[in-house]
Amino acid sequence: MQGEITDRTEVETEEKFAIKSRPTAQGASAPRIALLGWCERAALIQNGPSALWHTNILGFSANRVSHIFPLDLSNHLVALAFYDIRVGESFTLEFYDPAGVKAFETTMTLASAPSAEYTGRELKQIEQGNHVPGWFTVIAQPAKTLVLKPDQYRVYLAHDGHRQYLEDLGLIHATLPSFTAEQVTAIKSDPLAAKWIRARYKCTECHGELRTYAGLERSLHSESEGWTWSQNLSESFTCACGKLSFSLHHLKTGLHGLLLRKITAQDKLPGYFVRLYEKTTLEEYCRQLNELIDKVTPEEDMQNFLEAHPIFFNQFSPQQIMAKKPVLSQYVADS
């Protein structure tokens, strides 16, 4: 009985190996690109000898979540692995929706590739046209491509007249209710907070455009310049020639979500924003707080100052800031 079990195991192992090593459908060879997924950030760590250098990847996933659509794909990073590629070679990735309709495509070119010098601290670049043997991992930024709606996309590699399936990648929309007063106060506690953010979409043919903005409060100045408060957008946008057309639901329910991010100089947002605080303003607030502390300020005066300057609560990473909320029906909290 033991021998029979062993024999079956050997046969099963052989079958599994045959399946794994079998070529893809219709006898085609495996693709020379492995599509690994999206990532939020990536950085090459160059510490010590080049043999020890490595890439740190943050937020690696097969799905990418966005508060807004249309979405500029060039603001995102994708992890790829190339096999036996030549420097300067180009590949096109085609994205198809669940109905089998091609939604968009993006072309990528390997501009350069390093070759490690294990005995030193330098990397030499492989010259244009020379091939990189074996597998070579790249964190790439797709070409500027506008994705009109969230969906689960099937990705194909188009190269040398052939099309091969690579992977399914998801682009997901994150809706967000309007901010409460307590949430707005918590956002204002972030020294890197944005006062408002603008997004603009323009047709390349007729130059018709949509301009919208979201902020911690409405801006009459922005609206006088032709920017529409995101909550007041209509249901859809179509330019004069009809080439650019998309639903506005995702902007109405998500654009203000970008205000929740701690925006740094390295961030690439789908629009542009204005800071809530200037550096000199933050310095002035700190000077005023020090003066109140030195003068031994009464509790009520300190309370009023902190309510007006929530920036000093940032160290607690607040989600909501509530001042003097009632406790049952008889008491009020001190702060």
Side-chain angles (χ1 to χ4, degrees):
M1 180 64 70
Q2 182 66 35
E4 292 179 2
I5 294 175
T6 304
D7 291 341
R8 287 199 199 98
T9 303
E10 290 175 353
V11 171
E12 184 180 40
T13 301
E14 290 177 359
E15 290 177 349
K16 287 182 177 179
F17 179 79
I19 291 173
K20 289 181 179 179
S21 59
R22 187 166 55 199
T24 56
Q26 301 177 352
S29 61
R32 291 167 59 211
I33 288 183
L35 182 56
L36 306 179
W38 306 106
C39 60
E40 292 181 10
R41 296 185 183 182
L44 176 63
I45 309 302
Q46 300 178 337
N47 291 331
S50 59
L52 302 179
W53 292 6
H54 61 280
T55 300
N56 279 355
I57 299 178
L58 177 66
F60 185 69
S61 172
N63 298 302
R64 178 58 64 234
V65 177
S66 173
H67 282 295
I68 71 168
F69 284 88
L71 178 69
D72 184 359
L73 208 62
S74 65
N75 288 323
H76 296 266
L77 298 176
V78 61
L80 301 161
F82 296 94
Y83 183 76
D84 199 30
I85 189 175
R86 290 186 178 277
V87 175
E89 198 170 359
S90 295
F91 296 86
T92 299
L93 301 182
E94 299 178 343
F95 291 72
Y96 288 77
D97 64 21
V101 178
K102 186 167 77 170
F104 57 93
E105 65 179 35
T106 183
T107 300
M108 299 181 182
T109 302
L110 183 64
S112 63
S115 176
E117 294 285 355
Y118 295 107
T119 59
R121 294 176 176 268
E122 298 296 329
L123 290 181
K124 63 180 181 181
Q125 296 295 324
I126 297 177
E127 295 181 359
Q128 189 83 1
N130 290 344
H131 83 284
V132 183
W135 286 101
F136 178 64
T137 304
V138 174
I139 305 299
Q141 204 162 0
K144 188 174 180 62
T145 304
L146 199 62
V147 183
L148 299 181
K149 63 175 183 174
D151 220 327
Q152 191 73 21
Y153 293 97
R154 178 151 288 199
V155 188
Y156 289 85
L157 167 66
H159 184 63
D160 290 340
H162 300 286
R163 188 167 66 91
Q164 295 174 293
Y165 169 69
L166 294 181
E167 179 64 279
D168 283 2
L169 291 181
L171 292 171
I172 302 169
H173 179 238
T175 61
L176 194 70
S178 298
F179 296 136
T180 64
E182 291 79 9
Q183 287 176 316
V184 170
T185 305
I187 294 173
K188 289 181 177 180
S189 72
D190 180 8
L192 299 178
K195 186 177 183 180
W196 44 257
I197 184 166
R198 290 174 170 179
R200 179 169 66 177
Y201 301 93
K202 187 174 183 178
C203 176
T204 56
E205 296 293 330
C206 67
H207 304 296
E209 65 177 15
L210 169 76
R211 296 195 294 175
T212 183
Y213 80 99
L216 299 181
E217 56 188 26
R218 292 186 65 167
S219 169
L220 296 179
H221 176 70
S222 293
E223 293 178 19
S224 68
E225 293 181 335
W227 298 87
T228 303
W229 178 245
S230 61
Q231 303 298 308
N232 290 344
L233 289 171
S234 57
E235 295 304 314
S236 63
F237 169 80
T238 302
C239 67
C241 69
K243 183 177 181 180
L244 182 62
S245 180
F246 52 87
S247 169
L248 297 178
H249 167 74
H250 308 107
L251 289 171
K252 294 175 67 173
T253 58
L255 182 59
H256 58 291
L258 296 179
L259 298 171
L260 291 173
R261 292 183 54 174
K262 293 182 180 294
I263 302 170
T264 67
Q266 289 72 37
D267 284 322
K268 296 182 178 180
L269 297 181
Y272 60 96
F273 60 92
V274 169
R275 294 280 189 199
L276 182 60
Y277 301 108
E278 297 289 342
K279 181 180 179 181
T280 54
T281 301
L282 296 174
E283 292 172 348
E284 175 63 17
Y285 290 165
C286 291
R287 185 187 63 79
Q288 292 176 9
L289 178 62
N290 286 330
E291 289 180 354
L292 292 176
I293 294 174
D294 292 340
K295 293 190 300 186
V296 192
T297 304
E299 180 182 343
E300 187 67 21
D301 292 342
M302 183 65 76
Q303 169 77 32
N304 293 335
F305 177 83
L306 292 176
E307 284 186 30
H309 304 84
I311 190 72
F312 296 104
F313 295 106
N314 177 64
Q315 59 184 316
F316 304 110
S317 300
Q319 300 299 309
Q320 298 184 69
I321 296 180
M322 299 172 286
K324 292 198 170 184
K325 284 293 182 177
V327 180
L328 299 177
S329 57
Q330 300 181 14
Y331 304 99
V332 175
D334 287 338
S335 59

